[in-house]
Amino acid sequence: MNFRMIVHIIGHIIKIEGLLFLVPVITAIVYNEATQGRVYSVIGAALFVFGFLITRKKPKNTILYLKEGCVTTALSWILLSVFGAIPLLLTGEILSFTDAVFEIVSGFTTTGSSILTDVEALSHASLMWRSFTHWVGGMGILIFLLAVIPLTGGSNVNLMKAESPGPQVDKSLPQVKTTALLLYVIYSVLTALEFIILLITKLPVFDAICMTFGTAGTGGFGVLNDSCASYPIASQWVIAIFMILFGINFNVYVMLVFRRFKKAFISEEVWTYLGFIVVAVVIITINILDKTAGFIDALTKSTFSVASTITTTGYANTDFNTWPTIAKVILVFLMFSGACAGSTAGGIKVSRIVIAFKVFRREVNSFLHPREVKTIRMDDQVISDKTVRSVTIYFITYAVIFAFSLFWISFDGHDLVTSFTAIVATFNNIGPGLEMVGPTGNYAFFSTPCKWVLIFDMLAGRLEIFPMLMLFHPSNWRGVLIRHRKGY
């Protein structure tokens, strides 16, 4: 285990986070929030100096293997969240350490679950920081790091594999730095485009910035207590459309940039994802028609809710807790599915669902035709047995963690729907669930131990489970224990 390189990369992450605090500092200056401005500037400066001291000397061995990439990624996200929560405590806007960490983990993991009962009571600086964590966490801060720091020996790929959502990351080593930079360029262009269009719909500048950050990262933190319900209909449609766009695999956008149109438009995952959206919108629109002001109102609310749910963004323009059961069941299905791999969204990912369905179909056919050897293909490419195995293991591990989490929070004694959808919402990085954690609710009522379970679920869901589990593998820390016993 290359611990020195792990610490070196974490130092860069801390240094970058110190610079990220400039966003709330500038916001505090604009809105004359002196206390918040001082807190964010002092913490940001301290983090930058601390990170600078750690990264002054580069280790001789800069190679990171996959297990080290997983440990580096998990530790980076944990420390990023803990340090990011400190200003909320020092400004007195959140009084509990657990609650502050919960809020910022929810931000960086683009979950959008909140312990706040009155969002509008926060300062502009803290509201901006919450939303900005969505944007940072959406594409991933380690992906940004890969664009600016050269690594060797496959380390780039191993870090990208550990942080990128989806069954696999198919990038050759010489292209990783270019790919990471291109991803951020596309991400930034789409972000700027949404912000401009929201301004055209007459959304206030501050709201437009925060909502754009939340949409781009598919996060869900809003600046109003009613999320998006009081915004103009045009703004709601813009947000809904961009939620769908940010839920598409960014590799499709990369292929469009390089004019590989045929390859971009044959993506089974993207077409399945869009198909899920269309079918869900049609069924829900019909189902809630008699509970709305007419067809347009029903279509707007269903489209927004479906887009927000499948992309795991978590914005709301209505309280879907009051909808008929069939509509809520569809939304719960979408919570599990999530959007595309390689997007900023959470969830199981559509690609895994497609692969799992094809594996299921192959196994059923094997009973009918035992001697037939049939490969699984996706986008005209053969899916390797290694990928099929990783998808299977993912589903098994997902089910085990989900069951354990549900069992643990059940000790709080809340109703089954609340407990079940709280795990669904946090593990799949969605934000709102149903009943007490619905669009008009929050997570403040959970006990401290349960909140830490939900914090773990948010991190595990964002990092595709295994990087977080690697932290608990004894073999990864054996070297540290040996060095400690030898006195060096």
Side-chain angles (χ1 to χ4, degrees):
M1 184 72 75
N2 190 350
F3 291 106
R4 291 184 179 179
M5 190 58 190
I6 291 174
V7 172
H8 184 75
I9 291 177
I10 290 174
H12 279 293
I13 297 297
I14 294 172
K15 187 164 60 175
I16 290 173
E17 184 171 29
L19 293 175
L20 294 178
F21 276 147
L22 286 172
V23 173
V25 168
I26 293 172
T27 306
I29 293 173
V30 172
Y31 289 95
N32 296 316
E33 296 170 341
T35 301
Q36 285 77 14
R38 283 194 296 270
V39 169
Y40 280 103
S41 58
V42 169
I43 299 299
L47 289 177
F48 182 82
V49 172
F50 182 46
F52 175 78
L53 293 175
I54 294 176
T55 57
R56 273 193 312 168
K57 187 176 180 181
K58 188 175 182 179
K60 293 180 181 179
N61 179 13
T62 61
I63 297 176
L64 288 177
Y65 296 103
L66 183 56
K67 69 174 183 177
E68 295 160 325
C70 289
V71 170
T72 303
T73 300
L75 288 176
S76 295
W77 279 73
I78 291 171
L79 292 176
L80 194 71
S81 301
V82 171
F83 291 139
I86 293 175
L88 295 177
L89 281 171
L90 296 183
T91 59
E93 292 172 285
I94 295 180
L95 301 177
S96 161
F97 174 72
T98 297
D99 286 351
V101 172
F102 184 99
E103 197 75 10
I104 295 303
V105 167
S106 182
F108 278 120
T109 59
T110 73
T111 304
S113 301
S114 180
I115 50 82
L116 296 172
T117 56
D118 185 8
V119 173
E120 296 175 32
L122 261 63
S123 63
H124 288 85
S126 293
L127 285 173
M128 180 64 75
W129 176 235
R130 288 168 76 244
S131 296
F132 188 54
T133 57
H134 281 333
W135 194 84
V136 174
M139 188 58 67
I141 194 168
L142 284 170
I143 301 296
F144 173 77
L145 197 63
L146 294 178
V148 295
I149 297 180
L151 297 176
T152 59
S155 302
N156 291 25
V157 174
N158 290 327
L159 279 176
M160 185 174 275
K161 281 182 177 180
E163 188 178 54
S164 298
Q168 62 179 353
V169 177
D170 187 15
K171 295 282 181 288
S172 58
L173 179 60
Q175 297 175 335
V176 169
K177 184 174 181 178
T178 303
T179 300
L181 184 59
L182 181 58
L183 288 173
Y184 256 98
V185 169
I186 296 171
Y187 189 49
S188 300
V189 169
L190 285 173
T191 301
L193 184 60
E194 182 187 359
F195 171 67
I196 293 170
I197 298 176
L198 283 177
L199 289 180
I200 294 173
T201 65
K202 299 183 179 180
L203 208 64
V205 175
F206 182 79
D207 293 50
I209 294 174
C210 291
M211 299 307 292
T212 298
F213 282 154
T215 305
T218 58
F221 278 154
V223 297
L224 300 178
N225 289 327
D226 67 359
S227 190
C228 298
S230 59
Y231 289 144
I233 299 299
S235 300
Q236 294 182 25
W237 275 100
V238 169
I239 293 171
I241 291 169
F242 274 92
M243 284 191 288
I244 294 171
L245 291 176
F246 281 106
I248 291 175
N249 192 323
F250 270 65
N251 286 332
V252 172
Y253 296 132
V254 172
M255 287 185 281
L256 291 176
V257 169
F258 288 107
R259 298 182 179 180
R260 300 174 184 172
F261 301 114
K262 183 178 179 181
K263 193 171 183 180
F265 289 117
I266 65 169
S267 173
E268 286 185 57
E269 180 186 32
V270 172
W271 285 113
T272 304
Y273 162 67
L274 296 176
F276 283 174
I277 293 173
V278 171
V279 171
V281 167
V282 170
I283 296 175
I284 292 177
T285 299
I286 296 172
N287 196 234
I288 67 172
L289 194 57
D290 61 342
K291 296 182 178 293
T292 56
F295 176 75
I296 299 299
D297 185 42
L299 181 64
T300 300
K301 289 177 178 177
S302 64
T303 302
F304 192 96
S305 297
V306 166
S308 180
T309 303
I310 195 170
T311 61
T312 69
T313 305
Y315 285 142
N317 67 347
T318 186
D319 183 8
F320 50 71
N321 248 334
T322 62
W323 286 359
T325 302
I326 185 63
K328 290 190 286 187
V329 167
I330 290 173
L331 291 181
V332 171
F333 283 151
L334 297 180
M335 289 178 186
F336 279 106
S337 105
C340 300
S343 69
T344 62
I348 291 173
K349 304 296 182 305
V350 174
S351 59
R352 285 197 180 97
I353 293 174
V354 172
I355 292 172
F357 175 77
K358 292 189 175 187
V359 171
F360 170 76
R361 188 173 60 183
R362 183 182 67 176
E363 294 306 309
V364 170
N365 287 336
S366 68
F367 285 99
L368 301 175
H369 309 285
R371 297 183 180 180
E372 182 182 23
V373 178
K374 190 173 182 179
T375 58
I376 298 175
R377 305 180 70 89
M378 190 170 177
D379 299 340
D380 292 333
Q381 293 183 345
V382 175
I383 301 297
S384 66
D385 290 338
K386 181 180 178 181
T387 300
V388 172
R389 177 175 171 271
S390 71
V391 169
T392 304
I393 293 174
Y394 176 88
F395 274 109
I396 294 171
T397 311
Y398 179 99
V400 170
I401 294 177
F402 189 98
F404 173 80
S405 300
L406 181 58
F407 174 76
W408 184 271
I409 72 166
S410 67
F411 285 104
D412 265 16
H414 305 300
D415 65 274
L416 179 59
V417 174
T418 294
S419 299
F420 183 84
T421 58
I423 300 300
V424 175
T426 51
F427 200 12
N428 293 306
N429 306 128
I430 294 160
L434 297 174
E435 299 300 337
M436 295 172 68
V437 292
T440 60
N442 58 68
Y443 290 72
F445 58 86
F446 280 108
S447 64
T448 296
C450 288
K451 285 176 182 173
W452 282 106
V453 170
L454 298 176
I455 286 170
F456 173 84
D457 286 348
M458 287 189 281
L459 287 166
R462 172 58 181 84
L463 299 180
E464 303 285 290
I465 299 177
F466 295 103
M468 286 298 294
L469 294 183
M470 289 293 287
L471 287 179
F472 301 97
H473 202 290
S475 66
N476 291 330
W477 307 106
R478 194 169 293 132
V480 176
L481 294 174
I482 291 174
R483 287 184 177 88
H484 177 70
R485 287 170 183 169
K486 290 183 177 180
Y488 61 89

